[in-house]
Amino acid sequence: MSSHVHKIFVQCIQREEPGATITAGTGSSPIQSSSGKLYMGKIGSPGEKEQYIGEAESLKAMNQAAPSLVPRLIACGVIDDEAAESDHDVGKPYFLSEYRDMGSLTDAAADVLGKRLATEMHAYKSTNGFGFHVPTYCGRTRLENGWYETWEECYDALIGGLLSSLRKSGGYDALCREGEDVRRRVMPALLRPLVIQPVLLHGDLWSGNTGTDRKTGEPVIFDPASLFGHNEADLAIARIFGGIPKSFFTTYHQHVPKSEPADQYELRCDLYELFHYLNHTVLFGGSYASSARQKMQRLLRAFPEE
């Protein structure tokens, strides 16, 4: 970070702390006020407005559900003429949150995260159904969201969106055909019997989006792609990439048992992991496509054509 703090951040922080003076650290240090409070600010390109809004709305919902588990959002908006430092600034999105100094997720923090996710975030229910009120982004992938009466419809739309992106990019005909078979045969069989509530999900909960607050030892999660859905879907990407201690899963399920029918839990895990394998195929291609096909083939074997 340069030694300069953009005017928009100075204005936002001074609304929080009237009369404070604002300085920037050096290197990767955050923005600091004269009270000692630390902030993290970023400014995007005009084309990133939707991503900034999606992240901000996700953090707001998560902070309501589980206070302090995520960095607190201070402000998010679009720079106007009054806050611009140059003509190029106008129309750019900005984002300001508290800064949390974090290390990697410790075993102790993972235990607490498992409990807080189960008893707070995944206890926070939507009154509008399954989905979310704004598009959110998993990596660079736009999740259109919207509201659905059933989880089956919501999840089908998410998978359908990824398959549509792969068809447009070309070269994934076989993968897309099998994906359509999964939508037709597997999703109704696995998701329709569930009796579940739409609860708040982080949406991209892998080890790179978790940490331990160095000051308090408490877990912190960030970079969400939130929606209201089946709680088990939030555990999927953590399995794929590892890095989150096993105690997290054990503690989580001590507080929230596996959904019924419990004997289909592992198949549901495969179905929820499939979303992330398909998304990584959209984002990066390569070996993720073969991993996605392996998941699909396992699911299709479990539910053969009648």
Side-chain angles (χ1 to χ4, degrees), residues 167-298:
R167 270 193 292 274
K168 284 176 192 164
S169 65
Y172 294 104
D173 291 352
L175 183 67
C176 289
R177 276 196 304 275
E178 289 182 335
E180 293 302 332
D181 285 343
V182 168
R183 292 176 75 188
R184 183 171 54 85
R185 279 161 46 189
V186 177
M187 284 194 200
L190 277 181
L191 302 185
R192 204 167 289 172
L194 294 172
V195 180
I196 54 170
Q197 296 290 318
V199 299
L200 183 61
L201 310 182
H202 176 285
D204 193 15
L205 194 62
W206 68 291
S207 58
N209 289 341
T210 69
T212 303
D213 188 310
R214 292 188 205 276
K215 195 183 287 185
T216 64
E218 294 292 313
V220 186
I221 56 178
F222 49 93
D223 283 353
S226 285
L227 72 156
F228 287 89
H230 183 200
N231 64 293
E232 290 176 1
D234 230 4
L235 311 180
I237 195 170
R239 287 191 186 83
I240 294 173
F241 295 118
I244 293 183
K246 285 183 180 170
S247 60
F248 162 79
F249 299 97
T250 307
T251 303
Y252 180 88
H253 281 305
Q254 283 170 356
H255 294 278
V256 178
K258 295 169 183 176
S259 300
E260 293 295 341
D263 62 350
Q264 292 184 337
Y265 176 81
E266 292 301 331
L267 287 168
R268 291 195 300 269
C269 289
D270 285 336
L271 182 60
Y272 295 148
E273 287 171 27
L274 177 61
F275 171 86
H276 295 286
Y277 280 121
L278 286 174
N279 188 37
H280 276 67
T281 306
V282 169
L283 295 173
F284 310 115
S287 63
Y288 291 113
S290 60
S291 298
R293 284 198 77 180
Q294 285 171 9
K295 286 287 173 195
M296 287 178 178
Q297 286 163 2
R298 183 176 173 199

Side-chain angles (χ1 to χ4, degrees), residues 4-201:
H4 174 70
V5 179
H6 195 284
K7 184 160 72 167
I8 189 65
F9 298 135
V10 174
Q11 290 175 354
C12 292
I13 294 168
Q14 286 179 337
R15 279 198 291 272
E16 283 273 304
E17 301 185 60
T21 54
I22 315 301
T23 56
T26 55
S28 60
S29 298
I31 303 166
Q32 185 165 350
S33 79
S34 49
S35 71
K37 289 185 178 175
L38 301 176
Y39 299 88
M40 191 280 290
K42 60 183 180 179
I43 293 173
S45 65
E48 293 176 314
K49 289 176 195 172
E50 217 174 38
Q51 284 102 307
Y52 276 52
I53 292 166
E55 181 177 1
E57 291 299 309
S58 296
L59 286 178
K60 279 200 281 192
M62 289 164 65
N63 199 49
Q64 270 194 300
S68 81
L69 186 59
V70 297
R72 183 172 69 89
L73 178 75
I74 309 297
C76 179
V78 174
I79 297 174
D80 57 18
D81 291 324
E82 189 187 334
E85 292 186 345
S86 74
D87 291 343
H88 298 297
D89 284 351
V90 178
K92 288 181 176 178
Y94 66 89
F95 175 100
L96 180 72
S97 71
E98 66 173 342
Y99 175 80
R100 305 281 286 274
D101 183 23
M102 288 178 284
S104 58
L105 190 68
T106 63
D107 285 351
D111 272 348
V112 176
L113 178 58
K115 182 179 179 181
R116 294 202 70 190
L117 200 72
T119 61
E120 293 176 62
M121 243 183 69
H122 290 173
Y124 188 77
K125 299 182 180 96
S126 161
T127 55
N128 295 312
F130 295 87
F132 207 59
H133 61 288
V134 296
T136 50
Y137 282 72
C138 194
R140 296 187 311 278
T141 301
R142 182 181 188 269
L143 309 180
E144 289 190 29
N145 292 323
W147 294 109
Y148 300 86
E149 283 190 24
T150 69
W151 174 234
E152 181 189 345
E153 290 173 289
C154 181
Y155 195 68
D156 181 67
L158 292 172
I159 294 292
L162 294 174
L163 293 173
S164 177
S165 295
L166 290 169
R167 270 193 292 274
K168 284 176 192 164
S169 65
Y172 294 104
D173 291 352
L175 183 67
C176 289
R177 276 196 304 275
E178 289 182 335
E180 293 302 332
D181 285 343
V182 168
R183 292 176 75 188
R184 183 171 54 85
R185 279 161 46 189
V186 177
M187 284 194 200
L190 277 181
L191 302 185
R192 204 167 289 172
L194 294 172
V195 180
I196 54 170
Q197 296 290 318
V199 299
L200 183 61
L201 310 182

